[in-house]
């Protein structure tokens, strides 16, 4: 199959961009082109209008862009080590990457979902899934830091995640790769897939005040691949919809073997019903192991706890909780329109878009209008749930977002385009080519009740020939379209870090008003904080040495340390005493087999160092902080393991006594 | 000291940007504004005009942007682990991060320097320094990959690096933090600094054909802080200039103690003379240890070798090789103009810019016009070497680049501005505010013989209020100015990853024509390559299991593997069989305490996995590669350590025999 479209590049006549040569009429091509430049441009000193939160894919992180400029403001470390900030290297952050498999330095973050209140984006948190070793993360949008990571047991490939309900009651997580359950004997032949492999979808409750997550229940399902999901809203409130593929239950060469059936499914889950069953004690307590990691900005530290049990509800035995809806063909996107009445499927090998009616689905369920069951779960007749099909819209629909004005925007991977269509009459209204192979797309608030339909952003899988080449590895890319008019207008190509899968966007005002500028030093409850230079010290406990250190423009306290010995385990606990915005300090010491620290004002972070050789080790501030930043340095003397050099530390005076020879 | 300028934001009247309301005259304010938008805009499908290579600072990497758009095309991993690409996690790349201190996952990359031929940028390589654990890296600009990392012994804080000579004969590296030499007893009191701490500058030769680096010689110098450097050219060819501070030789609270003297120095090194001394056997062979790491694109693998000796030339005893020139005040930038006659110093606490004349310096040296010596090295009289001073140009000059038309552009950290001045008459011609606290700046080719003076880019240390807030941690930032006219025109603010220190830029044509699109599979000489699916296999050697694996749209071969046991050491050797541009595949397996692999077409990369529990472990392609990417998955069965489950592997058929129970 030829999947890469090599269509004509969109050429915008820059030479005549602004009509300075002559006064061109408003409808001239050059005016349209000039319009695009102006629409994408954010002048120096001006703010962008929207935040765009884009999943990092195989980077494991979350990227924050401004729209319409496409400028990258920040990469928030979540699942992967970040040498730049010390995330996953510092003692305070290491527990965030703990799992039931131990410490893992990487994951694959596919989807991001902003928290909602009453179906509207509330700007509090953004959730991000980890696909490889199933996890869900919650990022705090006042600090732009990962506050919590919860592992998901009984799952592999946490792909249909972290989609949420209208009041952020739940974040969901569904198995992409079915596996034997954690409490089963997992040491089984792979070709016993149909007997031994199961799928689950997890409903993770979110505390209204703290945001803290907890696995409320899991639903046991047949061993198929759950792909994407979206919650019901309005009339469909209380339901959740998950696309699934590989209903063939193939365990090898899925490219061929999982593409046999004409239709796979959308799973409809009545989660209010599930809550009832849970309350009635119908869940089985299932033993397993999963990590629950929480970062506190009181202590600027994380803790990791291993949980040992989940509530499992069996879909096939608990009536009225789960239904399958047939959906052509190898479904991917599963999207609910702002009214909550329409559920849009997207088969990645399909040449049509099926639109299901929640009302018709309910009628079909009430009438038991089933074509049979799959794994003991009723399968509603396709036609009974179908509102209608968008005929021949393109090839390979992947994902649909909405503009709140009755229109839908669907990405087509195979035919490389965005297609705009009307949800009511299913007529195609417009189409725009993408360069190339679009995956997901995003309208600000486009999966909420109230989209802010100024833009649609395409997240593309192929970029060759769109940017200056950078060897075999190329950036991935987004394209920004203005959708304020009837027709989509391409205004900007912008590169993305990692691989952008799903993204979210919202008006800047929702978030920027809450942004924390620095941490108050008096509130710092880190065990190793020094709230002033007078509190700095170096403490030896056996082979462990704790250096309580402060940094402030432009010196380190203490900046001369002696009495450290080979084979010591040294911890530098660095408190940034600044109380102003944008004055971080960094910390590093020569030869350390570890990352650096990047310490925000008012914060304490700690890095471990295992000195292996005698000598003098310079340390310094790694973040240019003042005109005398280059002078912000110090020295640590390391003596032999058996040395009697006394433990001494100071700043600004020479260490007494000046012993002249090494021991 | 108040160092953050809170000047007025440059407001560009976007509303009237393009004069669509009415036809405005060319000289109207709105036309100027519209001009800025148009100048920064690169339309979708069009290429940027320049590559901009920006050091990552505390990210340890190198960022590649396009100009004038300011778009980030690529972050090239150098000194820090990169979970996204597997750099530092894969078996092939781990040796690149080896040092005499063992494996180090991070460094601080301050400066980048493009290779030159005849004083002009040749587009072959870019060199980047590692500051914390002294190293120099060479990045290949045909692959945009780090080909080589060489550790620098007898050094700490490799800051004045990696500046080069006009034909890339040498890359230099100077000590920022002086220390006891590696072969001395380093276990000495810190307050014996003046007796025991020394500085060095290293001259690293670069092979004309391969680019391979070798430490030709080091020069032993007094224990002060070497900061920045630039080579002579034209008449000053054969000389190198290094700025240095802390001639007070303070070892604590340098903020105060290293700012006592009114002048520190620029060190002038006659490296042709040094070559003569080396040829005459005047160098001492000094034992030490340093790592030399080379990546080969034949094997797609790195090797690390520990070297044990360097040639040391003693500056104080070898006459005519080194001279100090006094320079006010705490010098930072040390820049040579395109003619090679003028050497511009920049004292970060100074209120003037001293410009030295190479010709006057030579005369002074010939006349022994010295004011004395420092550490046994002659100190030329300030006035004897001085061409003149730029009076009151601003506060805190840091760094100067040139436009090749006789003008210089100097960054002023304290007064937050760029000042343009004429090198001949030393008159200030223009000044432009920067937001905020500019460090280095860059003109394409601005430190070569032939600048391409279309732009100057400011790299700023403070960004607060320039972009939408992202909590306490903010992006750092660049600002693009058009300098094609008499006055500098600010046209764009763009964020940068890590902290931008020095940067380089060059016309795109120099590099893009050589860019490699994929690796030829027939040339792949990796030990573990599979050049087709027929060559895939799984081989057990004791507890070690080697999986020879291929990936191609859209399956993994083999995709079912059994017979792996707990406590095995499993290596997945993944060969990407694609032979087209922009079709990487990724590889990950659930629960692995390691990064992923991102494998370019034609390449083999290997990841280690230590399975700790029995069960079924899904693996999959992590880089969306086709419409059936989601189907590109497989399973590995892990049995107990003592199990007799046979080693089996296959794709597309079920594994024989289907043993139904675990052992």
């Amino acid at each position: 199959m030829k999947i890469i479209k090599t269509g004509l590049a969109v050429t915008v006549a820059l030479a005549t961009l602004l009509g300075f040569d002559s006064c061109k009429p408003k409808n001239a091509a050059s005016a349209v082109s000039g319009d695009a430049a102006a629409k994408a441009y954010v002048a120096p000193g001006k703010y962008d209008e929207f935040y765009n939160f884009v999943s990092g894919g195989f980077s494991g992180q979350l990227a924050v862009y401004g729209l319409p400029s496409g400028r990258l403001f920040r990469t928030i470390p979540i699942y992967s080590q970040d040498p730049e900030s010390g995330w996953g290297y510092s003692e305070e952050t290491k527990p965030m990457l703990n799992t039931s498999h131990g410490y893992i330095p990487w994951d694959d973050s596919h989807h991001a979902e902003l928290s909602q209140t009453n179906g509207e984006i509330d700007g509090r948190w953004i959730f991000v899934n980890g696909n490889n070793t199933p996890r869900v993360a919650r990022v705090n949008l006042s600090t732009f830091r990962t506050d919590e990571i919860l592992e998901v047991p009984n799952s592999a490939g946490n792909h249909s995640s972290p989609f949420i309900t209208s009041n952020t009651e739940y974040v969901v997580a569904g198995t992409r790769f079915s596996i034997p359950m954690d409490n089963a004997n997992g040491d089984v032949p792979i070709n016993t897939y149909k007997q031994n492999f199961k799928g689950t979808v997890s409903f993770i409750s979110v505390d209204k005040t703290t945001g803290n997550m907890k696995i409320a229940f899991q639903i046991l399902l047949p061993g198929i691949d759950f792909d994407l999901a979206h919650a019901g809203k309005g009339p469909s409130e209380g339901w959740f919809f998950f696309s699934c593929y590989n209903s063939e239950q193939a365990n090898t060469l899925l490219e061929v073997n999982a593409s046999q059936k004409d239709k796979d499914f959308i799973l409809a889950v009545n989660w209010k019903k599930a809550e009832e069953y849970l309350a009635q004690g119908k869940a089985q307590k299932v033993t397993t192991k999963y990590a629950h990691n929480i970062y506190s900005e009181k202590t600027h530290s994380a803790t990791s706890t291993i949980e040992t049990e989940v509530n499992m509800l069996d879909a096939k035995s608990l009536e009225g909780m789960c239904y399958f809806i047939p959906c052509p063909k190898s479904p991917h996107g599963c999207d609910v329109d702002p009214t909550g009445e329409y559920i849009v499927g997207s088969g990645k090998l399909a040449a049509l878009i099926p639109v299901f009616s929640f009302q018709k689905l309910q009628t079909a369920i009430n009438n038991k209008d089933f074509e049979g069951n799959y794994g003991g779960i009723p399968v509603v007749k396709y036609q009974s749930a179908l509102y209608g099909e968008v005929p021949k819209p393109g090839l390979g629909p992947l994902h649909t977002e909405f503009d709140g004005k009755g229109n839908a925007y669907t990405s087509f991977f195979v035919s490389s385009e965005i297609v705009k269509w009307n949800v009511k009459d299913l007529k195609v209204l417009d189409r725009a080519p993408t360069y190339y192979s679009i995956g997901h797309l995003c309208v600000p608030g486009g999966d909420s009740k109230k989209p802010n339909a100024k833009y649609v952003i395409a997240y593309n899988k192929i970029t060759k020939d769109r940017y200056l080449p950078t060897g075999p590895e190329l950036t991935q890319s987004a394209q920004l379209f203005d959708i304020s008019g009837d027709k989509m207008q391409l205004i900007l190509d912008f590169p993305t870090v990692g691989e952008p899968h799903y993204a979210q966007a919202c008006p800047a005002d929702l978030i920027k008003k809450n942004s924390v500028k620095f941490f108050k030093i008096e509130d710092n409850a880190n065990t190793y904080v020094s709230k002033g230079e007078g509190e700095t010290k170096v403490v030896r406990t056996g082979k462990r040495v704790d250096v309580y250190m402060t940094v402030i423009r432009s010196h380190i306290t203490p900046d001369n340390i002696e009495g450290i010995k080979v084979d010591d385990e040294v911890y530098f606990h660095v408190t940034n005493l600044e109380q102003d915005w944008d004055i971080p300090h960094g910390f590093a010491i020569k030869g350390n087999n570890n990352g650096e620290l990047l310490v925000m004002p008012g914060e304490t972070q700690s890095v471990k160092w295992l000195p292996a050789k005698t000598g003098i080790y310079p340390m310094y501030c790694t973040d240019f902080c003042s005109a005398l930043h280059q002078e912000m340095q110090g020295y640590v003397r390391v003596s032999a393991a058996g040395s009697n050099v006394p433990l001494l530390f100071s700043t600004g005076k020479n260490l007494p006594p000046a012993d002249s020879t090494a021991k």
Side-chain angles (χ1 to χ4, degrees), chain A:
Chain A
M1 181 171 39
K2 176 80 176 150
I3 56 159
I4 300 158
K5 185 167 178 184
T6 53
L8 289 174
V10 174
T11 51
V12 178
L14 253 183
T16 58
L17 185 65
L18 299 171
F20 288 150
D21 303 338
S22 61
C23 285
K24 294 270 177 69
K26 282 187 190 180
N27 59 354
S30 63
V32 174
S33 308
D35 189 42
K39 283 180 172 175
Y41 186 66
V42 176
K46 295 289 183 186
Y47 281 164
D48 277 274
E49 201 181 340
F50 292 88
Y51 285 98
N52 187 198
F53 299 94
V54 183
S55 75
F58 50 73
S59 84
Q61 320 295 42
L62 180 71
V64 184
Y65 298 86
L67 298 179
S69 73
R71 294 179 297 184
L72 175 65
F73 295 147
R74 179 89 186 276
T75 300
I76 302 172
I78 300 178
Y79 295 111
S80 295
Q81 289 184 306
D82 181 33
E84 178 174 335
S85 65
W87 181 260
Y89 297 92
S90 71
E91 294 304 302
E92 283 79 359
T93 58
K94 277 182 191 169
M96 290 302 279
L97 302 186
N98 193 37
T99 71
S100 63
H101 303 269
Y103 178 91
I104 295 184
W106 174 85
D107 211 316
D108 183 14
S109 59
H110 274 242
H111 312 118
E113 184 89 345
L114 287 160
S115 59
Q116 296 184 8
T117 301
N118 297 324
E120 294 180 43
I121 292 168
D122 59 22
R124 300 178 74 192
W125 307 303
I126 187 161
F127 298 88
V128 180
N129 68 324
N131 188 63
N132 186 49
T133 302
R135 286 172 281 177
V136 173
R138 182 173 52 83
V139 171
N140 187 328
L141 290 177
S142 68
T143 57
F144 282 67
R145 281 196 175 166
T146 304
D147 264 6
E148 189 174 11
I149 295 180
L150 179 62
E151 192 177 356
V152 182
N154 296 310
S155 178
N158 179 36
H159 198 268
S160 51
S161 181
F163 304 97
I164 60 163
T165 53
S166 293
N167 285 291
T168 319
E169 295 95 339
Y170 294 108
V171 174
V172 300
T175 325
R176 177 167 150 209
F177 309 124
S178 286
I179 47 163
M181 292 294 92
D182 294 351
N183 65 350
N185 177 1
D187 182 10
V188 295
I190 298 166
N191 66 10
T192 64
Y193 184 105
K194 288 177 191 177
Q195 302 100 280
N196 289 320
F197 288 39
K198 303 291 175 196
T200 58
V201 297
S202 303
F203 281 72
I204 298 164
S205 62
V206 179
D207 185 274
K208 273 191 196 326
T209 309
T210 63
N212 282 348
M213 299 185 287
K214 181 177 189 293
I215 299 178
F217 55 90
Q218 296 192 304
I219 298 177
L220 187 67
L221 290 157
I224 56 178
D225 295 31
F226 294 89
D227 200 354
L228 286 165
H230 264 104
K233 48 175 93 89
S236 55
E237 182 78 36
W239 287 72
F240 225 108
F241 305 94
F242 297 82
S243 60
C244 28
Y245 61 105
N246 192 23
S247 57
E248 297 87 348
Q249 299 193 306
N251 60 276
T252 182
L253 202 62
L254 267 64
E255 175 187 22
V256 175
N257 296 326
S259 305
Q260 300 299 308
K261 289 192 179 176
D262 188 51
K263 291 191 178 66
D264 291 284
F265 299 119
I266 286 174
L267 172 73
V269 176
N270 182 340
W271 59 262
K272 292 277 187 189
K273 186 61 121 183
E275 284 181 336
E276 285 171 25
Y277 283 131
L278 186 68
Q280 291 162 16
K282 296 288 172 65
Q284 195 192 341
K285 301 276 182 195
V286 168
T287 59
T288 176
K289 275 190 180 172
Y290 56 104
H292 188 187
N293 311 330
I294 295 181
Y295 195 85
S296 156
E297 290 296 7
K298 286 185 186 162
T299 58
H300 306 296
S301 304
T303 53
S304 178
T305 309
I306 297 292
E307 308 278 354
T308 56
E309 195 179 72
V310 286
N311 293 308
M312 186 73 78
L313 294 166
D314 186 358
K316 71 176 184 297
S317 63
L318 296 171
E319 210 176 326
M321 186 171 70
C322 294
Y323 301 91
F324 282 121
I325 310 168
C327 183
K329 169 155 196 171
S330 299
H332 192 59
C334 179
D335 302 293
V336 179
D337 89 313
T339 71
E341 167 60 13
Y342 302 103
I343 302 115
V344 179
S346 300
K348 54 191 190 268
L349 299 181
L352 58 83
I353 303 171
V355 180
F356 301 98
S357 154
F358 182 73
Q359 201 178 337
K360 285 188 73 178
L361 174 67
Q362 293 307 302
T363 306
I365 288 170
N366 290 336
N367 296 342
K368 297 196 187 299
D369 199 6
F370 304 140
E371 63 177 46
N373 76 78
Y374 182 87
I377 295 163
V379 179
V380 174
K381 283 183 182 155
Y382 178 65
Q383 287 296 343
S384 302
L386 189 73
Y387 172 71
E389 293 169 345
V390 183
K392 296 193 195 309
L395 196 55
L398 285 194
H399 172 223
T400 300
E401 295 249 304
F402 305 91
D403 67 3
K405 303 171 197 165
N407 303 310
Y409 296 78
T410 302
S411 59
F412 286 80
F413 178 84
V414 178
S415 57
S416 270
E417 60 188 332
I418 298 175
V419 175
K420 176 183 178 180
W421 51 277
N422 184 280
V423 178
K424 271 277 154 71
D425 68 16
L426 307 178
K427 290 229 166 71
V428 170
L429 301 172
D430 189 24
R431 57 179 68 240
T434 56
Y435 303 93
Y436 306 99
S437 303
I438 180 176
H440 284 260
L441 44 67
C442 166
V443 170
D447 68 346
S448 75
K449 278 187 184 172
K450 290 230 175 136
N452 189 320
K454 186 162 183 179
Y455 301 115
V456 65
I457 310 105
Y459 301 97
N460 302 331
K461 302 301 183 187
I462 307 274
T463 56
K464 62 175 181 180
D465 80 26
R466 299 300 286 181
Y467 302 110
L468 287 176
T470 56
E473 188 180 342
L474 301 173
T475 183
Q476 303 209 20
S477 183
Q479 293 187 290
L480 180 69
F481 295 81
D482 181 340
I483 57 169
S484 57
D486 285 343
K487 297 292 177 185
M488 293 177 270
Q489 180 194 9
L490 175 61
I491 57 180
L492 186 70
D493 277 25
F494 66 98
T496 53
V497 290
E499 176 178 352
H501 293 269
Y502 194 44
Q504 297 263 287
C506 73
D509 287 341
L510 270 178
I511 289 172
K512 79 169 195 271
K513 62 177 188 248
N514 300 323
S515 199
V516 170
K517 294 187 175 177
F518 58 86
F519 300 109
K520 287 186 189 155
I521 185 74
E522 65 263 33
D523 297 343
N524 183 327
N526 187 295
T527 309
Y528 300 100
V529 66
S530 307
K531 292 194 182 182
E533 292 178 5
E535 295 184 12
T536 61
K537 57 188 174 186
V538 181
V539 180
R540 174 180 288 282
T541 315
K543 281 188 175 301
R544 179 181 170 120
V545 178
D546 289 285
V547 180
Y548 295 71
M549 178 177 272
T550 60
V551 285
I552 191 165
R553 283 165 291 180
S554 298
H555 57 275
I556 298 169
T557 307
D559 73 356
N560 278 202
I561 301 172
E562 301 196 352
I564 305 297
K565 297 171 197 171
V566 168
D567 295 339
D568 278 350
E569 189 173 289
V570 182
Y571 294 87
F572 294 98
H573 308 290
V574 182
T575 300
N576 181 344
L577 294 177
E578 308 282 353
Q579 291 286 271
D580 196 0
W581 201 17
D582 202 9
I583 312 289
H585 290 288
F587 177 83
I589 186 160
K590 181 184 170 183
N592 192 8
N593 305 106
N594 206 337
E596 69 148 0
L597 295 177
L598 190 63
V599 192
M600 296 301 123
E603 187 185 40
T604 304
Q605 291 284 290
S606 306
V607 68
K608 185 177 176 178
W609 176 46
L610 301 170
K613 289 187 286 193
T614 61
I616 296 291
Y617 291 82
M619 55 188 173
Y620 69 104
C621 172
T622 57
D623 191 331
F624 206 108
C625 53
S626 78
L628 290 167
H629 159 78
Q630 287 289 89
E631 281 74 5
M632 194 164 169
Q633 62 164 82
Y635 288 105
V636 178
R637 172 187 180 184
V638 175
S639 302
S643 159
N644 60 2
V645 172
L647 196 64
L648 295 170
F649 54 94
S650 73
T651 302
K653 55 178 195 288
N654 279 326
L655 287 170
D659 60 335
S660 57
T661 54
K663 305 301 184 300

